[in-house]
């Protein structure tokens, strides 16, 4: 991930579309999360990735096909503590319920790096 910045989130975030799989239930207490993401420079490519997820594709397979960053292991960023991610990304990620790559619950955000589709595999 790039260094943190204070750029405002101009996206509609996790509430952007009814296709959002939920995972919005407030999760309190976690200090770190095991997180995956799909990063797309263009909104249109992010929408293609979302269509695949909505069709039932596994998150890690969609990440390998669509993500434009260096997280080549199915979008895995590993365990990240609070303060280690871009603020817009972190806000969405720490609110998501843990899920599996087979049945992901995801959220969305836009950062200085592009458009992210985020899922969380674990919390501690």
């Amino acid at each position: 991930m790039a260094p943190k910045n204070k750029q405002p989130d101009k996206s509609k975030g996790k509430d952007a579309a009814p296709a959002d799989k939920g995972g919005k239930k407030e999760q309190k207490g976690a200090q770190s999360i095991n997180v995956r993401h799909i990063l797309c420079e263009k909104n249109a490519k992010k929408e293609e990735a979302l269509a695949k997820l909505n069709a039932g594709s596994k998150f890690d397979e969609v990440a390998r096909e669509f993500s434009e960053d260096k997280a080549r292991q199915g979008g895995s960023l590993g365990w990240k503590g609070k303060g280690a991610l871009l603020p817009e990304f972190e806000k969405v990620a720490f609110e998501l319920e843990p899920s599996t790559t087979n049945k992901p619950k995801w959220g969305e955000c836009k950062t200085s790096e592009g458009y992210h589709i985020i899922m969380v595999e674990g919390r501690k």
Side-chain angles (χ1 to χ4, degrees), residues 29-99:
Q31 294 302 306
S32 63
I33 53 174
N34 188 6
V35 64
R36 290 181 184 262
H37 79 144
I38 300 166
L39 172 63
C40 300
E41 187 178 321
K42 304 281 185 200
N43 187 52
K45 189 166 183 181
K46 178 203 70 156
E47 293 299 324
E48 286 181 54
L50 284 173
K52 287 255 189 181
L53 290 172
N54 283 320
S57 295
K58 293 181 178 180
F59 193 93
D60 55 335
E61 291 171 358
V62 176
R64 277 193 272 283
E65 183 179 347
F66 287 91
S67 195
E68 298 171 1
D69 74 341
K70 293 178 174 64
R72 301 271 181 223
Q73 300 166 322
S76 179
L77 297 174
W79 286 94
K80 299 292 180 186
K82 286 192 174 180
L85 300 163
L86 292 168
E88 307 92 333
F89 187 104
E90 187 172 288
K91 181 179 186 310
V92 173
F94 273 88
E95 290 179 0
L96 288 169
E97 290 179 36
S99 59

